[in-house]
């Protein structure tokens, strides 16, 4: 276990360094400057601004300063909001994005597992067809289109929910539905297929022969093995939900990191773009690592330390 953890930590550091480097290269190779605007068209003003943000220095110096800011976790001031530091934006926006993401994951996992179990237990019946129909729709409709439909039908036309912002539980309903529908559909389909396979295993037949109740067989014996593939894809789903929040937060005017990230791209706010990218990349890499550890703990048959060639 220790060897596996150390190996993964090394891979995590290398992966983060690659992301950091690629982000920097993309930023410095984009033509133009964030100060090419009417407000800063004066060459002297533009030169002073570039000097203030170290954009007048050679690329290798900028890169070293960028690495230093990451190691010290001080990304400096925002270009589009000079009175705000990137750290301040992260501290203000990330808790909201994290809350939205965590609640979305919980809703997607619980609803997806329930749909999958019901579909498997009622295989080739009306419940199975309904659950899989919902799953197909969830996979087929992009979350930004679903978000637009939800706003139009449930917020504007019927006024059941507020249209936007983030001021209470009722403001969370539509964004969470828009974000959770896709992952829920994937989990439901995967749970159904694995549950159907597990229910045909010999140990399940033995449990039935012993007279155990159906629900005890499902939750004590079948569900644990059926959920292993779901845990396997949790890292991918987590990545999809976290990146999906960027667009959803912009659509619903949620003051999370997604809103700041999209605005920073529009304003070419280099410190915010790079700070947000590094922060989210590190967070996602850590989450993927924890998913791998959880997978090994839940299934002792998996050797986390691996062998040569793993």
């Amino acid at each position: 276990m220790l060897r596996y953890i150390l190996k993964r930590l090394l891979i995590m550091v290398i992966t983060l360094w690659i992301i950091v480097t690629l982000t920097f290269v993309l930023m410095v190779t984009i033509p133009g400057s964030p100060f090419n605007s009417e407000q800063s068209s004066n060459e002297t003003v533009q030169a002073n601004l570039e000097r203030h943000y170290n954009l007048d220095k050679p690329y290798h110096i900028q890169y070293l300063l960028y690495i230093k800011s990451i190691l010290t976790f001080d990304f400096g001031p925002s270009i589009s909001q000079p009175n705000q530091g990137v750290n301040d934006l992260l501290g203000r926006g990330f808790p909201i994005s994290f809350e939205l993401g965590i609640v979305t994951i919980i809703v997607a996992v619980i609803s997806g597992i329930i749909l999958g179990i019901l579909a498997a237990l009622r295989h080739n019946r009306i419940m199975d067809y309904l659950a899989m129909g919902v799953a197909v729709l969830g996979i087929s409709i992009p979350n930004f289109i679903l978000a637009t439909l939800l706003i139009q039908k449930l917020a504007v036309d019927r006024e059941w929910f507020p249209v936007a912002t983030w001021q209470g539980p009722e403001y969370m309903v539509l964004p969470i539905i828009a974000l959770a529908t896709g992952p829920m559909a994937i989990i439901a389909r995967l749970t159904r297929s694995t549950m159907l396979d597990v229910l045909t295993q010999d140990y399940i037949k033995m449990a039935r022969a012993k007279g155990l109740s159906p629900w005890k067989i499902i939750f004590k014996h079948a569900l644990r093995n059926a959920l292993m593939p779901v845990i396997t894809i949790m890292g991918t789903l987590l990545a999809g939900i976290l990146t999906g929040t960027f667009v959803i937060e912009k659509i619903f005017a949620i003051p999370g990191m997604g809103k700041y990230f999209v605005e920073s791209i529009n304003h070419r706010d280099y410190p915010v773009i790079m700070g947000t990218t590094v922060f989210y990349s590190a967070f996602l890499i850590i989450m993927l690592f924890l998913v791998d550890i959880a997978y090994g703990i839940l299934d002792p048959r998996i050797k986390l330390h691996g062998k040569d060639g793993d």
Side-chain angles (χ1 to χ4, degrees):
M1 173 70 79
L2 179 60
R3 180 183 174 186
Y4 173 80
I5 292 176
L6 292 176
K7 180 180 177 181
R8 284 303 305 269
L9 286 175
L10 178 60
I11 294 174
M12 289 165 59
V13 172
I14 295 174
T15 302
L16 187 59
W17 173 76
I18 292 173
I19 294 173
V20 165
T21 304
L22 288 176
T23 303
F24 176 81
V25 171
L26 288 174
M27 289 297 99
V28 298
T29 54
I30 296 176
S33 166
F35 308 112
N36 289 341
S37 62
E38 294 180 0
Q39 290 81 2
S40 57
S41 57
N42 184 284
E43 292 183 2
T44 303
V45 174
Q46 182 172 332
N48 290 333
L49 288 172
E50 290 181 349
R51 188 179 305 110
H52 176 71
Y53 289 99
N54 297 316
L55 298 179
D56 62 328
K57 292 180 171 56
Y59 289 153
H60 68 280
I61 300 297
Q62 293 186 42
Y63 180 72
L64 292 176
L65 291 173
Y66 177 38
I67 295 296
K68 178 183 177 182
S69 69
I70 294 172
L71 295 177
T72 59
F73 201 71
D74 182 7
F75 298 105
S78 166
I79 292 177
S80 60
Q81 303 180 58
N83 60 331
Q84 294 286 330
V86 177
N87 290 24
D88 296 330
L89 297 178
L90 288 172
R92 188 164 62 246
F94 178 71
I96 296 175
S97 297
F98 183 76
E99 180 182 6
L100 176 60
I102 288 297
V103 176
T104 298
I105 292 172
I106 293 173
V107 171
V109 169
I110 293 177
S111 57
I113 290 174
I114 292 175
L115 273 180
I117 292 175
L118 292 176
L121 294 179
R122 298 292 184 268
H123 184 47
N124 288 334
R125 299 180 185 177
I126 185 66
M127 179 57 71
D128 185 15
Y129 299 142
L130 287 175
M132 290 304 97
V134 171
V136 169
L137 287 176
I139 295 174
S140 303
I141 304 176
N143 57 24
F144 60 89
I145 293 179
L146 180 59
T148 305
L149 292 174
L150 290 173
I151 291 174
Q152 181 62 44
K153 298 299 181 183
L154 301 183
V156 177
D157 293 347
R158 291 175 175 79
E159 298 183 354
W160 290 352
F161 300 99
V163 175
T165 69
W166 190 262
Q167 301 178 16
E170 66 275 14
Y171 291 83
M172 301 171 64
V173 177
L174 296 186
I176 289 173
I177 293 175
L179 274 175
T181 301
M184 176 206 69
I186 296 173
I187 293 173
R189 288 173 62 86
L190 188 57
T191 302
R192 173 185 177 273
S193 62
T194 53
M195 182 65 77
L196 288 174
D197 180 63
V198 168
L199 290 176
T200 61
Q201 300 298 314
D202 291 338
Y203 69 92
I204 297 296
K205 296 177 181 178
M206 180 64 70
R208 287 171 176 165
K210 289 182 178 180
L212 296 180
S213 65
W215 292 110
K216 189 173 184 179
I217 292 174
I218 292 171
F219 289 104
K220 187 175 181 180
H221 299 282
L223 187 58
R224 179 173 180 176
N225 290 326
L227 290 183
M228 295 310 298
V230 175
I231 296 174
T232 304
I233 67 167
M234 280 303 298
T236 304
L237 293 180
L238 180 63
I241 290 174
L242 287 178
T243 53
T245 59
F246 286 3
V247 178
I248 296 300
E249 286 177 9
K250 185 63 176 178
I251 292 174
F252 287 95
I254 298 173
M257 280 313 307
K259 175 176 177 289
Y260 296 129
F261 184 75
V262 173
E263 290 178 351
S264 67
I265 293 177
N266 294 334
H267 295 100
R268 300 186 63 171
D269 193 336
Y270 294 164
V272 176
I273 293 174
M274 294 190 288
T276 306
T277 302
V278 171
F279 183 83
Y280 263 95
S281 299
F283 179 77
L284 182 57
I285 290 171
I286 293 172
M287 291 297 103
L288 292 174
F289 171 71
L290 295 178
V291 168
D292 286 346
I293 296 296
Y295 189 68
I297 293 174
L298 292 175
D299 192 347
R301 295 171 297 178
I302 296 176
K303 305 285 186 184
L304 284 180
H305 52 78
K307 297 180 180 180
D308 292 340
D310 286 355

Coordinates of all heavy atoms in Angstrom, one line a residue, residues 50-51 54-62 65:
E50 N 1.8 45.9 -18.0 CA 2.5 44.7 -18.3 C 3.7 44.5 -17.3 O 4.0 43.4 -16.9 CB 3.0 44.7 -19.7 CG 1.9 44.5 -20.8 CD 2.5 44.5 -22.2 OE1 3.7 44.8 -22.4 OE2 1.7 44.2 -23.1
R51 N 4.3 45.6 -16.9 CA 5.4 45.5 -16.0 C 4.9 45.1 -14.6 O 5.5 44.4 -13.9 CB 6.1 46.9 -15.9 CG 7.4 46.9 -15.0 CD 8.1 48.2 -15.0 NE 8.3 48.7 -16.3 CZ 7.7 49.7 -16.9 NH1 6.7 50.4 -16.2 NH2 8.0 50.1 -18.1
N54 N 4.2 41.5 -14.5 CA 5.4 40.7 -15.0 C 5.3 40.2 -16.4 O 6.0 39.2 -16.7 CB 5.7 39.6 -14.0 CG 6.1 40.1 -12.6 OD1 6.8 41.0 -12.4 ND2 5.5 39.4 -11.6
L55 N 4.4 40.8 -17.2 CA 4.3 40.3 -18.5 C 5.3 40.8 -19.5 O 5.3 40.4 -20.7 CB 2.9 40.6 -19.0 CG 1.7 40.0 -18.3 CD1 0.4 40.5 -18.9 CD2 1.8 38.5 -18.3
D56 N 6.1 41.7 -19.0 CA 7.2 42.3 -19.9 C 8.5 41.5 -19.8 O 9.4 41.7 -20.5 CB 7.5 43.7 -19.5 CG 8.0 43.9 -18.1 OD1 7.6 43.0 -17.2 OD2 8.8 44.8 -17.8
K57 N 8.5 40.5 -18.9 CA 9.7 39.7 -18.6 C 9.8 38.6 -19.7 O 8.8 38.2 -20.2 CB 9.8 39.2 -17.2 CG 9.9 40.3 -16.2 CD 10.0 39.7 -14.8 CE 10.4 40.7 -13.7 NZ 9.5 41.9 -13.7
P58 N 11.0 38.1 -19.9 CA 11.2 36.9 -20.8 C 10.3 35.7 -20.3 O 10.0 35.6 -19.1 CB 12.7 36.6 -20.7 CG 13.3 37.8 -20.2 CD 12.3 38.5 -19.4
Y59 N 10.0 34.9 -21.2 CA 9.1 33.8 -20.9 C 9.6 32.8 -19.8 O 8.8 32.4 -19.0 CB 8.8 32.9 -22.2 CG 7.9 33.7 -23.2 CD1 8.0 33.4 -24.5 CD2 7.0 34.6 -22.8 CE1 7.2 34.0 -25.5 CE2 6.2 35.3 -23.7 CZ 6.3 35.0 -25.0 OH 5.5 35.6 -25.9
H60 N 10.9 32.6 -19.8 CA 11.4 31.7 -18.8 C 11.3 32.3 -17.4 O 11.1 31.6 -16.4 CB 12.8 31.2 -19.2 CG 13.9 32.3 -19.1 ND1 14.0 33.3 -20.1 CD2 14.8 32.6 -18.1 CE1 15.0 34.1 -19.7 NE2 15.5 33.8 -18.5
I61 N 11.5 33.6 -17.3 CA 11.3 34.3 -16.0 C 9.9 34.2 -15.6 O 9.6 34.0 -14.4 CB 11.8 35.7 -16.1 CG1 13.3 35.8 -16.5 CG2 11.6 36.4 -14.8 CD1 14.2 35.1 -15.5
Q62 N 9.0 34.5 -16.5 CA 7.5 34.4 -16.2 C 7.2 33.0 -15.7 O 6.4 32.9 -14.8 CB 6.7 34.8 -17.5 CG 6.8 36.2 -17.9 CD 5.8 36.5 -19.0 OE1 4.7 36.1 -19.0 NE2 6.3 37.3 -20.0
L65 N 8.4 32.5 -12.2 CA 7.5 33.3 -11.3 C 6.2 32.5 -11.1 O 5.6 32.5 -10.0 CB 7.3 34.7 -11.8 CG 8.5 35.6 -11.8 CD1 8.2 36.9 -12.5 CD2 9.0 35.9 -10.3

